[in-house]
Amino acid sequence: PMYSYTGGRTLYGNFTKNTTANNLTLGDSLINTSLRRIYGLHSFPFLFKTATATTVANQQFYQLPYDFGKLTNITVLVGSTAYSPTMVPDRLFWDDLNIVATGLTSNIPVYFYVFNGQLGLYPTPSSNGNTITFVYKRAIRDLSIADYTTGSVVSIANGGTAMVGTGTTWAVSMAGRFIRVTESDTANKGDGNWYEIASSGSTTTLSLVRTYGGTSISAGTAAYTIGQMPILPEPYQIMPIYEAASNYWRMENQPQIAAVWDSKWQQMETELMAEYGSTSDLVAWNDDRTSLDNLNPNLFVTYP
């Protein structure tokens, strides 16, 4: 199952047999510390995302996604041709470019620069409508937002992404969290699956990232939960809770109990690395060999 911030801290309280407010606050810190350690183990593919923007004639800078951490790659699609501009080495280089050729515009980007949450292109785009695609590593934020359950879901169509609520105070800040409409065999209830929220148009409307797979809800009063989730894939979201429990029992001078939870964490770490650690993501070459003898001749054009 998926574990939201609230679900994770509740499970931590059960694992430690201590549900006091002070211990749950300690659990928040231990779980977030463990999550950051897991994220640092490897450049896992689930840490990366793709987003797009559209060029505007004579506009040089474009807003990066809200969860932007570090840019990995950028392409600009002009017609059927994708261009990959080069990152400038520093601010001085960028400033010199713009001083030497002030006002230069072109649809073909040569350089890019990331500054203050925005991406700059050089030359400045000369036309509207070209697609800028970002591949970036997500910013890691601590889990800290309690589940939200106020009101109910009125409607969502099977295969649709537009959700309507009543008695809700949904907010723009909920983008990136997940919503689950409580499962039931009764008509106009949910399917019990978690769906990522793409955006909130108002206090009573949400848009989902992927289409709703359950039976359509119409004029419903379905209960729901909106939760803040870790980036980890669903089967591994219990990992940081295991490690947090292990650290708790170690602080309580109970090494044998700590060892039980630690073994569970280590087993899941092995499984995580086996499933995602060897995945080729964002790199074409990931070993230490640099000799020309190691290059694949099939990647090059040869002439008689």
Side-chain angles (χ1 to χ4, degrees), residues 1 42 110 151 189 228 245 249 254 268 274:
H42 182 72
V110 179
K189 301 297 182 180
Q228 185 186 32
W249 287 111
Q254 297 288 340
M268 295 213 77

Side-chain angles (χ1 to χ4, degrees), residues 2 156-157 159-163 178-179 191-198 207-214 234:
M2 295 183 72
I156 177 75
T161 58
M163 180 175 289
F178 285 72
I179 185 168
D191 66 355
N193 291 318
W194 289 97
Y195 295 86
E196 186 176 1
I197 299 171
S207 178
L208 306 181
V209 171
R210 64 186 179 94
T211 57
Y212 182 68
E234 181 176 347

Side-chain angles (χ1 to χ4, degrees), residues 15-48:
F15 287 171
T16 59
K17 300 182 179 180
N18 183 347
T19 58
T20 63
N22 286 341
N23 185 50
L24 294 181
T25 299
L26 172 64
D28 293 343
S29 178
L30 293 175
I31 289 171
N32 282 315
T33 298
S34 180
L35 280 169
R36 290 181 179 275
R37 185 155 88 91
I38 294 168
Y39 297 149
L41 289 174
H42 182 72
S43 291
F44 296 113
F46 53 78
L47 296 176
F48 295 84

Side-chain angles (χ1 to χ4, degrees), residues 282-303:
L282 307 175
V283 290
W285 189 307
N286 59 4
D287 62 22
D288 295 325
R289 297 170 296 174
T290 56
S291 168
L292 291 177
D293 292 336
N294 294 316
L295 297 179
N296 184 344
N298 295 318
L299 298 176
F300 299 89
V301 176
T302 58
Y303 300 94

